[in-house]
Amino acid sequence: MVAGETGIAEIDLHEVRVPKNHIIGRLNEGFEYIVTGALDQGRYSIAWAGLAIAQEALDAMVTYSRKRKQFDQKLSHFQLIRGMIGDAVTKVHAARALCLRAAELREAKDPQAAMETTIAKYFTSKVAVEVASDALQVHGANGISNQYPVARLYKEAKILEIIEGSSQMQQEMISHYGLKAYYKRGGSV
């Protein structure tokens, strides 16, 4: 490979015969197999990664606010800082509950597991960005310093909204689910 190349290649297969005993999944449903298998597993991992980043950002925010003084008071004494901490705690707890629910359904091989995983991935990736952003805000100019982890956490969190299906794609999938699952026939308009 030449320096600067990505190592990504396109492969065209024409008139390839695969013996029946070598077929993975169902015939002509390879994409669906990949989506429900590999992508689902990836989304599950991303959901937990989002929770981990949000938790680390929360820990950093709390620790910094309890140690750093401004105007002769610790940052944790300021109401707006406490508000951000309160929101972050709530978001992290909700994200953890979604991850645990997805884990429970996956363990039980429940048909709803894939959708719960999608919801967890969507929510935790957004929460990771929000909590990391607030942690960066609490750190002020120190937040962009290599001495503190929050700038790195923000970058790591942002990528979670993109990989294994962007947040917009997750939102679309969740909305399709919601339009079916929560439709009440005969309801008023």
Side-chain angles (χ1 to χ4, degrees):
M1 189 177 331
V2 177
E5 289 185 15
T6 62
I8 297 173
E10 187 173 315
I11 299 174
D12 285 318
L13 303 174
H14 300 280
E15 298 183 39
V16 174
R17 294 193 170 285
V18 177
K20 279 188 177 184
N21 63 340
H22 288 93
I23 294 175
I24 299 173
R26 288 176 269 167
L27 188 61
N28 297 321
E29 295 184 17
F31 180 75
E32 184 64 29
Y33 179 79
I34 293 299
V35 168
T36 58
L39 283 177
D40 181 58
Q41 184 60 41
R43 289 179 182 137
Y44 182 67
S45 297
I46 296 303
W48 284 101
L51 173 60
I53 290 170
Q55 181 68 62
E56 187 177 348
L58 172 60
D59 295 348
M61 182 189 327
V62 167
T63 301
Y64 187 82
S65 73
R66 290 187 60 161
K67 291 181 177 181
R68 175 81 170 159
K69 282 189 171 185
Q70 195 73 30
F71 308 112
D72 294 324
Q73 287 189 50
K74 290 184 179 177
L75 290 179
S76 60
H77 292 163
F78 292 101
Q79 184 177 7
L80 294 175
I81 300 295
R82 289 195 317 267
M84 286 194 286
I85 291 168
D87 286 348
V89 168
T90 303
K91 290 172 185 178
V92 167
H93 278 245
R96 183 173 291 107
L98 284 171
C99 286
L100 290 170
R101 172 80 174 140
E104 189 178 278
L105 292 176
R106 292 168 73 83
E107 181 71 26
K109 299 194 183 329
D110 188 292
Q112 289 297 317
M115 182 49 60
E116 290 295 325
T117 298
T118 297
I119 292 168
K121 188 272 188 199
Y122 173 71
F123 187 79
T124 61
S125 62
K126 293 187 82 53
V127 162
V129 170
E130 292 166 5
V131 175
S133 178
D134 283 350
L136 198 74
Q137 191 73 22
V138 168
H139 280 70
N142 284 334
I144 58 171
S145 164
N146 288 339
Q147 290 180 293
Y148 300 94
V150 291
R152 174 187 52 82
L153 292 171
Y154 183 80
K155 286 191 288 187
E156 290 173 359
K158 192 64 186 163
I159 193 69
L160 300 183
E161 290 188 318
I162 300 166
I163 60 175
E164 299 298 343
S166 68
S167 288
Q168 292 77 17
M169 283 305 304
Q170 304 306 304
Q171 189 177 46
E172 188 69 12
M173 292 167 55
I174 294 165
S175 75
H176 283 289
Y177 165 76
L179 287 167
K180 290 179 185 173
Y182 298 103
Y183 176 66
K184 302 295 181 204
R185 297 193 191 283
S188 61
V189 180

